[in-house]
Amino acid sequence: TMETIDGLIRNIRIATLNSQLDTDYGVIEDGCLAWNDGKILYVGPQDQSPYPSAVTTIDGDGCWLTPGLIDCHTHLVYAGNRAGEFEALRQGKSYAEIAKAGGGIRSTVTATRAADEADLFSEAAKRLQRLLAEGVTTVEIKSGYGLNRDDELKMLRVIRQLGEHFPVEVHATCLAAHAVPPEFHDDPEAYLNRVIDEILPAVAAENLATSVDVFCESIAFSADQTRRLFRAATRLGFKLKGHVEQLTQQGGTDVLCEFNALSADHIEFISEPQIGRMAEAGVTAVILPGAFYYLGEHQKPPIESLRAHQVPMAVATDQNPGSSPLSSLLTAANLACVLFGMTPAEAWSGMTRSAAQALGLGDRKGQLREGFDADLLLWDVDHPRQIIHEINRFRPQRIWQAGQERTHVKN
Ligand SMILES: O=C(O)CC[C@@H]1NC(=O)NC1=O
Ligand SMILES: [Fe+3]
């Protein structure tokens, strides 16, 4: 007899998100899904299921089942807040002016350096729980507010602890190349040497991050400096991503394509040839409408061109205190549609299949497919598009992370 499997959900409509086309949800009506040991065994029409029952058999009562949500770009570990800049931004001061005046990233660096691991953990935990309540089952969290070896390691240890403490898969990214810290007196080259010679090796030695990221911008690091950073990061075995073409055109996207990086993030100022290179190099776009919205930017990322080149488009919160104080991935998805013209189906792909690709997880997450991780959300809606349409309205009825149901997540 078939040994009993862990779980089975029946009487459901399923949005598998398993078609490479962003235009549809990969819908299965009258479906069921079975899992064992945290992996999906069967997903398909109920009347073809080889599994009649399981240890846990659930009647989905006609609800929709989707993959768990993936927030593939956050800076949610930091101390303090930047509410004081809110008025200045609204009065027309630019993000770059605030940064040049010693505000911006540097003020969060000061607060984060002064905080200990316990404080950083407890502050970040509150923000992470907001994402978990929406059904986020995988999250990427960056360092980048330490900007020296000890404080970058401190941040990355907190990021690891968050993954150990909460029912979510955390992927850590080292963003030591986020800004030039005050002690380097605006000398990016000197600080970059410190990142390459001291910080990245220490992070690799403790295995505290799988990817390296960079802020390639007029107020941070150039394309050539990005190339130098990526050479070192590649030698140390890191995967690569970058904040590129966010406020100006710096050529960062070209460097990402040279290195077949995982993702190009922001890309409001990307050019048509750069999009073509992304398609050839298999680089995923990460669309971050929270920063565009909060900073009052005007240049939108070229969604139509990305769509025409079939570049996968992820959507993420970019949760950070200075440019995107947004702790809702569903709101980010709504903004991507309303501000940038993404469709709800593209936004759903952006929070699942394409977000997995942006983290190099496209072979096991972001779709309801046999052999993939059993990260599942059950929603009481008539169609998944409602979840993107109504702002801050819906939460999953039930959440499974690697086949384990989350019993409670404080909202
Ligand atoms: O302002 C902050 O604290 C982070 C800003 C954030 N980092 C980056 O590279 N681009 C951004 O918008
Ligand atoms: Fe960011």
Side-chain angles (χ1 to χ4, degrees), residues 191-201 225 228-229 232 235-236:
Y191 174 62
L192 197 59
N193 290 336
R194 182 63 60 85
V195 173
I196 289 169
D197 298 335
E198 187 188 29
I199 299 178
L200 290 191
Q225 287 166 338
R228 197 151 74 81
L229 173 77
R235 271 200 306 274
L236 287 164

Side-chain angles (χ1 to χ4, degrees), residues 75 82 95 104-105 108 145 175 178 215 243 246 266 291 295 318 320-323:
H75 310 246
R82 304 257 289 280
Y95 179 78
I105 294 173
T108 302
Y145 291 115
L175 176 59
H178 196 192
F215 189 17
H243 292 64
Q246 176 183 1
H266 284 290
L295 295 177
D318 192 15
N320 76 73
S323 70

Side-chain angles (χ1 to χ4, degrees), residues 36-352:
N36 200 52
D37 271 350
K39 295 287 185 187
I40 296 171
L41 286 182
Y42 173 81
V43 49
Q46 190 143 279
D47 55 11
Q48 293 169 30
S49 165
Y51 303 101
S53 68
V55 171
T56 308
T57 300
I58 292 153
D59 179 342
D61 193 22
C63 287
W64 279 88
L65 193 74
T66 71
L69 302 182
I70 301 173
D71 193 352
C72 68
H73 181 134
T74 84
H75 310 246
L76 65 80
V77 171
Y78 60 85
N81 70 73
R82 304 257 289 280
E85 296 172 2
F86 189 39
E87 294 93 316
L89 280 168
R90 301 288 64 90
Q91 282 146 21
K93 255 187 143 185
S94 78
Y95 179 78
E97 283 165 328
I98 292 170
K100 285 201 174 61
I105 294 173
R106 280 186 175 177
S107 59
T108 302
V109 169
T110 303
T112 303
R113 285 177 167 178
D116 64 20
E117 285 187 23
D119 295 338
L120 286 177
F121 180 92
S122 66
E123 281 305 301
K126 293 173 203 152
R127 293 187 280 266
L128 179 59
Q129 284 176 300
R130 302 295 297 147
L131 294 177
L132 298 189
E134 278 192 339
V136 170
T137 52
T138 305
V139 62
E140 184 258 17
I141 308 177
K142 305 171 192 288
S143 66
Y145 291 115
L147 306 190
N148 61 44
R149 186 194 57 196
D150 292 348
D151 290 309
E152 284 292 308
L153 291 177
K154 174 177 73 178
M155 286 193 72
L156 288 164
R157 290 187 190 114
V158 169
I159 291 166
R160 167 172 285 174
Q161 286 153 23
L162 288 166
E164 288 164 354
H165 186 84
F166 288 99
V168 60
E169 186 167 311
V170 171
H171 286 262
T173 298
C174 178
L175 176 59
H178 196 192
V180 181
E183 63 271 18
F184 278 88
H185 309 301
D186 298 327
D187 182 351
E189 277 298 298
Y191 174 62
L192 197 59
N193 290 336
R194 182 63 60 85
V195 173
I196 289 169
D197 298 335
E198 187 188 29
I199 299 178
L200 290 191
V203 172
E206 281 195 43
N207 195 20
L208 280 172
T210 49
S211 299
V212 161
D213 191 347
V214 60
F215 189 17
C216 182
E217 191 52 70
S218 51
I219 55 173
F221 299 93
S222 69
D224 284 340
Q225 287 166 338
T226 298
R227 191 172 284 109
R228 197 151 74 81
L229 173 77
F230 281 2
R231 282 202 196 102
T234 302
R235 271 200 306 274
L236 287 164
F238 291 106
K239 292 180 275 187
L240 306 170
K241 38 182 69 251
H243 292 64
V244 292
E245 291 31 288
Q246 176 183 1
L247 306 173
T248 61
Q249 168 58 249
Q250 296 289 324
T253 302
D254 304 90
V255 181
L256 287 170
C257 294
E258 271 171 53
F259 285 83
N260 296 101
L262 288 174
S263 70
D265 300 40
H266 284 290
I267 62 169
E268 280 88 339
F269 284 82
I270 197 170
S271 68
E272 186 73 16
Q274 286 174 323
I275 293 174
R277 278 181 216 114
M278 281 181 70
E280 285 155 28
V283 176
T284 299
V286 178
I287 303 300
L288 302 168
F292 171 91
Y293 161 77
Y294 178 75
L295 295 177
E297 293 300 317
H298 301 289
Q299 173 80 21
K300 300 180 179 182
I303 300 299
E304 308 74 24
S305 175
L306 289 160
R307 189 184 287 144
H309 285 81
Q310 294 190 335
V311 172
M313 297 185 282
V315 178
T317 59
D318 192 15
Q319 167 145 41
N320 76 73
S323 70
S324 187
L326 172 65
S327 55
S328 165
L329 181 57
L330 294 179
T331 301
N334 173 277
L335 291 174
C337 296
V338 172
L339 299 178
F340 296 162
M342 261 191 177
T343 64
E346 286 172 332
W348 260 104
S349 297
M351 302 187 293
T352 54

